[in-house]
Amino acid sequence: MMDKPWVEEKKLKEFILQNRSYNLFENKDNTVELRFSPEMPEAQAHLPNGQPVEHIMKGIKENGKIYFLSFKTVSSIGETETQLEGEDDPIMLWLQFI
């Protein structure tokens, strides 16, 4: 088990089916990329220059769970990438609601 934020693979896939702004890309080496753009009205107010923002979470599948290793944001003002630290990394609090 890794000390990284995680979600059950099955739960995440069910969430993605209901939330079309999320896409999960799975690679042959068990790595994954979860890509999404915030579309809810409260997020729209915070978009730089009113342009879309894409979030890319990279992770790895292991024993029915997806562990997330990094969180990247790509926007009109550039990109930032954060390596996730520990299972309760505050960036990942939203995973609790899946």
Side-chain angles (χ1 to χ4, degrees), residues 12 19 23 35-36 38-39 41-42 44 46 48 61-62 64 66 69 73 80 93 95:
L12 180 61
N19 295 275
N23 290 295
R35 294 174 171 251
F36 60 97
E39 292 183 350
E42 55 274 17
Q44 296 289 328
H46 300 285
K61 291 194 309 185
E62 191 173 284
I66 296 177
L69 311 174
T73 300
T80 59
L93 287 176
L95 286 176

Side-chain angles (χ1 to χ4, degrees), residues 2-25:
M2 292 185 203
D3 182 28
K4 295 290 181 187
W6 61 274
V7 65
E8 289 180 26
E9 182 179 0
K10 181 181 175 192
K11 274 186 164 181
L12 180 61
K13 288 182 175 181
E14 289 170 1
F15 176 82
I16 290 168
L17 285 174
Q18 297 172 16
N19 295 275
R20 296 292 181 191
S21 62
Y22 288 76
N23 290 295
L24 184 66
F25 300 92

Side-chain angles (χ1 to χ4, degrees), residues 49-63:
N49 306 319
Q51 298 296 311
V53 171
E54 182 178 35
H55 298 297
I56 304 166
M57 296 169 46
K58 294 182 181 177
I60 190 162
K61 291 194 309 185
E62 191 173 284
N63 299 323

